[in-house]
Amino acid sequence: GKGEYDHYMLKEIHNQPTALSNTIEGRVENGDVAFEALPAGSFAEIETVQLVACGTSYHAAMYGAQLLREAGLRTEVVRASEYDSTAGPVDENTLVVAVTQSGETADTLDAVRTATDRGARSLAVTNVVGSTAAREADDAVYIRAGPEVGVAATKTYSSQAVTLALLTQRIAADVPEATPAADREEMLAELEHLPDYVDQMLEFTEAAELADDLLDSESYFFIGNGLSRSVALEGALKFKEITYEHAEGFASGQLKHGPLALVTEASPIFAVVTGDGDEKTKTNAIEAQSRGAPIVAVGPDDHALVDVADATLSVPDTHPVWAGLLANVQLQLVSYHAADMLGRPIDKPRNLAKSVTVE
Ligand code: M6R
């Protein structure tokens, strides 16, 4: 049941420290990453990684894709519903990674089937043990977030992103052309603290007040660059999904190429800054602010954007690889509180289903 919480979504947001501890459990040892069924050498033949996913899982896949690229792996991230028209060629040295909470999303299953028919090797990154994706793929890695009831994916996004970051290190250690992160020890050490950081944030968050202050707006924009780009897109998806308000997420640098025309005093901009490519976000946020838009900086208190922002959602200082996940938790809370104030049926938004089993 929901226990002390009004909604499953809020319960699942608060469950993230536990979910993340389970995701990480036993997978980092002496600075190395280990996955149960995938020992060292498992990925030695891989030359290209292709991630396929939908919705929130696609945003986690984007996060993972950037880390894979930074590790020197040829990587592509494809919206599963557009697989036929947008995916590049695959062969037996391609690893197709299906990122899917339920393991039952028709578009994602279909994309993996197409890729494996063309000779690719497949891996499911999923939450549901024994799901179709897990059964059909050559291998499966479980994100171990525990059951998620709310239609809006929350804790599973965080656990997916962490799993993909760990998988990146695992693959990079096997593939000769790839290079595991130079500061990997620091990064993995910070990962151990991630559940505590989420706990701290949940205790001191300003999200409810902020949602209240901004609720009369016309549109809500979310921007970010680098790793924060996927966080911005995810923030907007969550916001529209449960509040029914108009929300859009953009790469920071895209704002001036069109969306800026929509920017007014009634369109707050959530600017996600996590220490990766933030300069672009700052410049573009200030540009929007000069057109009257209130800026909400989502990032560490000592970030340069915080000095000029109209409001802040503060995120504990951590390694840039994890900071975006903390920013995302703050955005989940803003969406939740906004939807709650609007009286929306948060756990079952209109027209949506927890898993989309039709194409
Ligand atoms: O079960 P999956 O992860 O494959 O589901 C993919 C999307 O349908 C899902 O993430 C959807 O976007 C969520 N409702 C977002 O909160």
Side-chain angles (χ1 to χ4, degrees), residues 69-295:
R69 281 190 204 106
E70 283 171 6
L73 285 140
R74 221 170 288 147
T75 308
E76 200 186 348
V77 53
V78 185
R79 289 189 167 85
S81 54
E82 274 76 70
Y83 193 83
D84 285 338
S85 52
T86 64
V90 300
D91 60 23
E92 67 281 4
N93 302 115
T94 307
L95 181 69
V96 170
V97 182
V99 185
T100 166
Q101 185 285 130
S102 62
E104 305 297 343
T105 300
D107 287 325
T108 306
L109 294 174
D110 203 54
V112 184
R113 287 173 191 143
T114 304
T116 47
D117 282 350
R118 294 175 184 166
R121 172 175 159 191
S122 61
L123 171 68
V125 172
T126 182
N127 195 33
V128 179
V129 176
S131 56
T132 307
R135 282 184 285 109
E136 288 189 7
D138 296 314
D139 293 291
V141 165
Y142 292 107
I143 64 167
R144 303 180 184 154
E148 190 175 67
V149 177
V151 164
T154 52
K155 62 176 178 172
T156 56
Y157 170 89
S158 301
S159 290
Q160 282 170 334
V162 165
T163 305
L164 291 171
L166 292 176
L167 191 64
T168 298
Q169 295 307 312
R170 182 80 281 288
I171 297 174
D174 283 357
V175 176
E177 302 79 52
T179 39
D183 57 352
R184 154 181 141 115
E185 254 174 67
E186 250 171 84
M187 178 181 108
L188 294 173
E190 272 299 279
L191 178 60
E192 304 283 340
H193 298 299
L194 193 61
D196 289 339
Y197 293 150
V198 176
D199 244 343
Q200 279 171 35
M201 243 176 21
L202 291 170
E203 198 170 337
F204 298 111
T205 178
E206 321 81 334
E209 279 168 15
L210 188 71
D212 195 23
D213 289 348
L214 296 176
L215 212 54
D216 283 329
S217 307
E218 274 163 23
S219 286
Y220 301 80
F221 295 133
F222 297 76
I223 62 170
N225 189 41
L227 278 174
S228 306
R229 181 173 70 111
S230 55
V231 176
L233 302 191
E234 173 56 13
L237 173 63
K238 205 92 318 168
F239 200 87
K240 72 181 79 164
E241 186 176 25
I242 60 169
T243 68
Y244 310 161
E245 294 291 307
H246 176 227
E248 286 190 63
F250 310 104
S252 307
Q254 285 299 313
L255 201 62
K256 56 187 174 303
H257 296 291
L260 197 57
L262 297 172
V263 167
T264 67
E265 316 72 58
S267 60
I269 315 254
F270 291 88
V272 182
V273 283
T274 57
D276 174 44
D278 292 344
E279 202 40 53
K280 247 190 198 156
T281 304
K282 189 177 165 206
T283 325
N284 285 279
I286 290 171
E287 180 69 46
Q289 194 181 40
S290 74
R291 319 284 151 139
I295 300 302

